[in-house]
Amino acid sequence: MGSHLWNRKHLLGMADLSREEIQSILDAAASLREVNRREIKKVPTLRGKTVINLFFENSTRTRTSFELAGKRMSADVINMSVASSSVKKGETLIDTLATLQAMNPDVVVIRHPESGAQEFLARHLDTAIVNAGDGRHEHPTQALLDLLTIHDHLPLLDRSGFEGLVVAVCGDSLHSRVARSIALGLRAMGGEVRFVGPPGLIPPKAEEAFGARVYHDMEEGLDGAHVVMALRLQLERMTVGFIPSVREYFAFWGLTRARLARAAPGAFVMHPGPINRGVEISSEVADDRERSVILEQVANGLAVRMAVLYRLCGVGGGR
Amino acid sequence: MSGFVLIRGGRVIDPANGMDATGDVLLEDGIIRAVGRPDVPSGAKVLEADGLVVAPGLVDMHVHLREPGFEYKETIAGGTLAAAAGGVTTVACMPNTRPVNDDPSITGYILQKALLEGIVNVAPIGAVTKGLEGRELTEMGLLMRAGCVAFSDDGRPVADSGLMRRALDYSRAFGALIIQHAEEPSLSAGGCMHEGVVSSRLGLPGLPAAAESVMVDRDIRLVELTGGRYHVAHISVAGAVEAVARARARGLPVSCEVAPHHFSLTDEAVVGYDTDAKMSPPLRSVEDRNALLEGLARGVITVIATDHAPHDSDSKRVEFCHASNGVVGLETMLPVSLELVRDGVMTWMDCLRAMTVAPARLLGLDRGRGTLSPGSVADLVLFDPEAVWVVDAARLHGTSKNTCFHGRRVRGRVKKTLVAGRIVFDDDL
Ligand SMILES: [Zn+2]
């Protein structure tokens, strides 16, 4: 599986990854998908390995995906949740270190509400770390599963590679780790990324930081795009004060069928989930089997996470 | 030390007197008697200064000593030791202690402690408002009588415009200097680094440059209104430098200081989420840094001050946004500032002026601090301008080691520091 291309200890973000490294993970994931179609969905690859899922933030979807990925490869998987209410001033993070070290795991999968928390732990911990989302910084396995999904659809777009592919990332990219990771991943693969959304919800200097083109007009931003990715508007906490109302947001930046018509022929719609129907995306677009690949994303997430665990456990390839 | 001391054969640089020449400095009973080629009384103790620069002891007008209240971060004893090791003979200490230095009794406590345990001069800065709460003015007159040399709510801005107007107005009764930590809270809220490309890449909430320049603009309007003496602490953005330049050109009593970390580093230093590169104001963009260098070169920024802010390692070994703001700076102030001379930004004279007589005059320090004029107190630094060394956090003298210059190769090393003629730091020991 081209393991010579992978000699990293951690997967902290897409920012570090080369095109070859990304391709090697996508290849591995594509071949591991086969396991998930078997009657007995289990291989012994990671027998005797221990994977700890350490979640400082609730996320049933991502945690379950990692858990299943580990189990399908016969690893021992332990879930640890640390309620975010008890995380005060990082004390828990330092305290958790000692506990983790004692368990001597092979891989720790971490989600944390603070940007950079995994890099902080990587400096202090002697174990391989997978970033399962840190603050508004990165979410590399999401970007990898998105890239795999796009890769699967390239033939339908009459394309053979990512080169020149236009992906419009729509909505609140300022607070989105998914937006950052996919932008960096696509740039590495030679694609073109657009950030489309209201001023104030786009990361400052996004052109320079991510090589993204910025559009505040939704129609213009979608014009000729091959892939449209709608981001979840995080109503609970983040967007208060940034936009006047959900009604206004949907009126100007909601992904509707009419707007989608501006995209390239055969363009399809992605969403990292969970969806706010009628906020960032209309139900008719979200549920359109022809256009929406949201369920494929979930399936690919499992395969990508299996590939990542496989790589970081150092099986069949030096790290 | 009683009797005569001759500091012989050094390059004597005394910006207060426009002097830069090889010569001797003669001290008697802790007072400077003569500079140049004085007649040497028999029995004088001799300090050889061949190859060294002899200059007035540095004056750092922005230091956090943390005592009383936060002795686990730093003490007056430890902080003044760090100062001595950095060639700094006078530190002005900020009032954000616990309790806050907003009452003459606290000022008295600090000065008493400094007398007993400090090894360099300590000049307390009183709070502008009681408890740093931004509501009621402190007793500026009584605080000055107790020994305060200026006023600041540093760590926080005086945010309320009406209150800032009153402070600038009332301070005129005593000729007091108001030092502002310029930051508009509604613009900086939530931010934990400079807002720009790097904050976008790191996914850290940013704090825009405008948060500082908006406040400086406002304050300058209030100086126009009141005529109070106003000083911008740790200036960090181009817009604020521009505003100060305009105000000074119009003859307003406005000045500002810059910290070595702001003119020598940019927000790139935060990459990797290094909490030792976290301070307030944050490290800024390349453009801002260039504006600071230009401000120093053009004489808009007249003071270099460290904002020395010790923090225990627990306050720094956390997620970036949770880490305390601040870095130590006393022991790296001189060599990092000398980079300005080597890079052609400032002359030796101007660079040393910004760390000696300029801050001393702003604070109205008595007995001729920051100068080698005969009759002044013999506060001096002797340093080897060519000695190259690498900053090592573990070898710093202060209690806390949170430097952003760890591993930096610097040139210029303090050999001896004298306070009132007494050697308080000797690199050769
Ligand atoms: Zn301050």
Side-chain angles (χ1 to χ4, degrees):
Chain A
M1 283 189 224
S3 53
H4 59 285
L5 291 171
W6 187 266
N7 50 20
R8 291 176 181 279
K9 182 169 179 189
H10 309 292
L11 176 63
L12 297 176
M14 298 301 287
D16 322 322
L17 298 186
S18 68
R19 178 187 292 218
E20 290 70 27
E21 287 172 309
I22 293 171
Q23 193 61 55
S24 115
I25 293 263
L26 298 185
D27 293 346
S31 59
L32 282 165
R33 266 194 299 216
E34 180 267 330
V35 173
N36 297 322
R37 295 194 199 103
R38 292 183 193 170
E39 196 162 338
I40 295 171
K41 299 177 178 58
K42 202 155 181 161
V43 288
T45 324
L46 298 186
R47 184 170 290 155
K49 302 284 181 184
T50 305
V51 175
I52 297 184
N53 280 326
L54 179 60
F55 277 59
F56 291 88
E57 210 177 50
N58 282 332
S59 167
T60 315
R61 299 160 59 101
T62 306
R63 187 184 50 72
T64 312
S65 180
F66 271 107
E67 185 178 354
L68 204 52
K71 285 183 170 163
R72 292 234 165 131
M73 300 178 87
S74 306
D76 296 320
V77 182
I78 297 161
N79 290 320
M80 289 174 64
S81 294
V82 187
S84 40
S85 59
S86 72
V87 181
K88 272 187 193 155
K89 292 248 160 196
E91 286 152 6
T92 314
L93 203 52
I94 280 283
D95 295 346
T96 309
L97 276 177
T99 320
L100 277 178
Q101 287 283 25
M103 293 185 199
N104 195 23
D106 296 279
V107 179
V108 188
V109 177
I110 304 173
R111 166 161 296 190
H112 197 282
E114 291 291 333
S115 301
Q118 284 83 339
E119 281 197 45
F120 171 82
L121 286 171
R123 277 201 301 274
H124 292 94
L125 191 67
D126 201 31
T127 303
I129 291 176
V130 179
N131 180 0
D134 63 322
R136 53 168 91 164
H137 177 223
E138 282 238 38
H139 190 0
T141 57
Q142 176 73 42
L144 289 166
L145 75 86
D146 288 339
L147 288 173
L148 181 59
T149 310
I150 295 171
H151 188 263
D152 291 343
H153 285 259
L154 287 174
L156 298 174
L157 292 163
D158 266 337
R159 308 186 79 85
S160 57
F162 288 95
E163 216 68 53
L165 188 86
V166 177
V167 178
V169 178
C170 304
D172 176 10
S173 47
L174 175 68
H175 295 106
S176 173
R177 51 196 173 213
V178 175
R180 282 175 171 76
S181 286
I182 190 66
L184 293 166
L186 261 168
R187 188 168 63 171
M189 300 307 284
E192 183 194 309
V193 89
R194 298 177 182 173
F195 283 167
V196 187
L201 284 181
I202 307 286
K205 303 194 188 264
E207 297 86 347
E208 226 181 300
F210 305 104
R213 295 187 63 179
V214 174
Y215 294 81
H216 299 309
D217 182 286
M218 187 77 169
E219 276 81 10
E220 271 178 44
L222 294 186
D223 199 39
H226 303 107
V227 181
V228 179
M229 180 181 289
L231 297 172
R232 177 179 167 77
L233 194 68
Q234 311 211 30
L235 297 163
E236 319 78 53
R237 42 191 179 124
M238 288 176 163
T239 36
V240 179
F242 285 84
I243 52 163
S245 74
V246 165
R247 165 170 93 164
E248 172 141 319
Y249 183 83
F250 188 74
F252 291 90
W253 293 282
L255 183 59
T256 58
R257 196 181 286 284
R259 289 197 170 117
L260 193 54
R262 293 288 294 266
F268 59 94
V269 175
M270 304 175 82
H271 192 296
I275 294 172
N276 291 313
R277 287 164 191 269
V279 179
E280 69 265 357
I281 189 168
S282 70
S283 282
E284 58 170 357
V285 174
D287 299 336
D288 182 346
R289 287 292 179 89
E290 297 281 294
R291 288 300 192 97
S292 164
V293 297
I294 296 171
L295 292 176
E296 287 173 48
Q297 287 177 272
V298 177
N300 285 335
L302 181 58
V304 154
R305 284 162 186 137
M306 287 168 76
V308 166
L309 292 178
Y310 174 82
R311 285 285 189 253
L312 293 190
C313 278
V315 186
R319 72 163 192 232
Chain B
M1 183 184 300
S2 66
F4 289 98
V5 177
L6 184 73
I7 302 170
R8 188 160 65 191
R11 175 182 172 188
V12 181
I13 304 181
D14 180 18
N17 292 297
M19 178 183 186
D20 183 351
T22 302
D24 307 334
V25 180
L26 181 67
L27 320 179
E28 183 190 0
D29 295 336
I31 301 293
I32 294 171
R33 282 298 166 221
V35 179
R37 294 269 170 247
D39 293 329
V40 183
S42 60
K45 184 183 172 213
V46 175
L47 291 180
E48 288 298 346
D50 185 30
L52 304 183
V53 170
V54 179
L58 308 185
V59 175
D60 187 348
M61 68 180 286
H62 195 141
V63 169
H64 297 270
L65 288 179
R66 305 292 187 212
E67 185 174 1
F70 304 98
E71 287 83 353
Y72 62 97
K73 292 180 188 284
E74 190 52 281
T75 58
I76 288 171
T80 55
L81 178 64
V88 178
T89 53
T90 299
V91 294
C93 58
M94 284 296 174
N96 60 340
T97 46
R98 193 168 58 206
V100 169
N101 183 14
D102 60 0
D103 186 279
S105 64
I106 309 300
T107 310
Y109 174 84
I110 293 168
L111 288 171
Q112 188 64 26
K113 268 275 187 173
L115 205 61
L116 292 172
E117 296 169 13
I119 58 173
V120 306
N121 309 303
V122 172
I125 293 172
V128 176
T129 67
K130 289 178 185 160
L132 306 176
E133 283 174 354
R135 286 200 285 269
E136 266 181 273
L137 294 183
T138 55
E139 299 160 319
M140 290 187 195
L142 293 175
L143 283 163
M144 284 187 91
R145 201 179 268 173
C148 286
V149 295
F151 296 91
S152 180
D153 276 1
D154 185 55
R156 299 180 189 178
V158 178
D160 184 279
S161 305
L163 189 72
M164 188 57 165
R165 177 212 178 158
R166 300 264 169 259
L168 284 165
D169 218 357
Y170 185 71
S171 64
R172 287 164 53 228
F174 311 100
L177 182 71
I178 303 290
I179 302 172
Q180 171 77 305
H181 174 119
E183 176 181 331
E184 166 52 46
S186 62
L187 287 172
S188 62
C192 52
M193 73 170 291
H194 174 67
E195 179 178 303
V197 183
V198 182
S199 72
S200 281
R201 286 207 312 254
L202 295 179
L204 289 171
L207 197 153
E212 180 171 317
S213 48
V214 159
M215 191 57 105
V216 173
D217 281 337
R218 179 205 75 173
D219 287 344
I220 287 171
R221 293 297 174 197
L222 297 176
V223 172
E224 245 168 41
L225 177 67
T226 59
R229 294 176 62 217
Y230 173 74
H231 179 84
V232 183
H234 41 53
I235 202 162
S236 73
V237 302
V241 176
E242 210 180 285
V244 169
R246 270 186 271 118
R248 288 173 70 86
R250 290 162 57 211
L252 293 172
V254 171
S255 58
C256 64
E257 71 194 26
V258 64
H261 49 262
H262 284 130
F263 68 65
S264 60
L265 300 172
T266 65
D267 55 354
E268 282 288 343
V270 179
V271 171
Y273 303 91
D274 182 359
T275 57
D276 281 331
K278 187 181 184 216
M279 66 289 282
S280 166
L283 297 174
R284 298 290 191 178
S285 69
V286 178
E287 293 75 27
D288 290 313
R289 179 182 171 234
N290 289 338
L292 297 175
L293 295 175
E294 203 192 313
L296 282 163
R298 286 171 45 209
V300 173
I301 302 171
T302 51
V303 172
I304 297 171
T306 61
D307 191 8
H308 180 84
H311 284 295
D312 54 303
S313 62
D314 281 354
S315 301
K316 287 290 193 181
R317 276 202 327 169
V318 292
E319 302 93 315
F320 192 84
C321 280
H322 292 161
S324 297
N325 281 315
V327 290
V328 294
L330 282 165
E331 297 178 63
T332 45
M333 176 188 204
L334 182 65
V336 174
S337 298
L338 291 179
E339 292 174 6
L340 296 168
V341 178
R342 315 212 191 267
D343 295 345
V345 176
M346 297 177 93
T347 62
W348 279 96
M349 192 77 85
D350 288 342
C351 183
L352 285 172
R353 180 181 291 115
M355 294 185 278
T356 55
V357 67
R361 284 194 184 145
L362 269 179
L363 298 177
L365 296 182
D366 60 351
R367 303 178 69 205
R369 308 280 180 193
T371 152
L372 300 181
S373 300
S376 304
V377 180
D379 293 350
L380 295 112
V381 58
L382 279 60
F383 64 90
D384 180 345
E386 300 306 326
V388 173
W389 56 290
V390 175
V391 178
D392 178 357
R395 300 185 69 168
L396 295 177
H397 292 74
T399 305
S400 293
K401 316 292 183 192
N402 50 308
T403 175
C404 55
F405 294 118
H406 179 69
R408 192 182 182 96
R409 244 174 85 89
V410 293
R411 210 197 300 181
R413 188 169 178 89
V414 174
K415 302 308 283 185
K416 286 183 175 56
T417 307
L418 283 72
V419 172
R422 208 166 57 87
I423 296 176
V424 294
F425 174 78
D426 191 338
D427 189 48
D428 298 324
L429 289 185

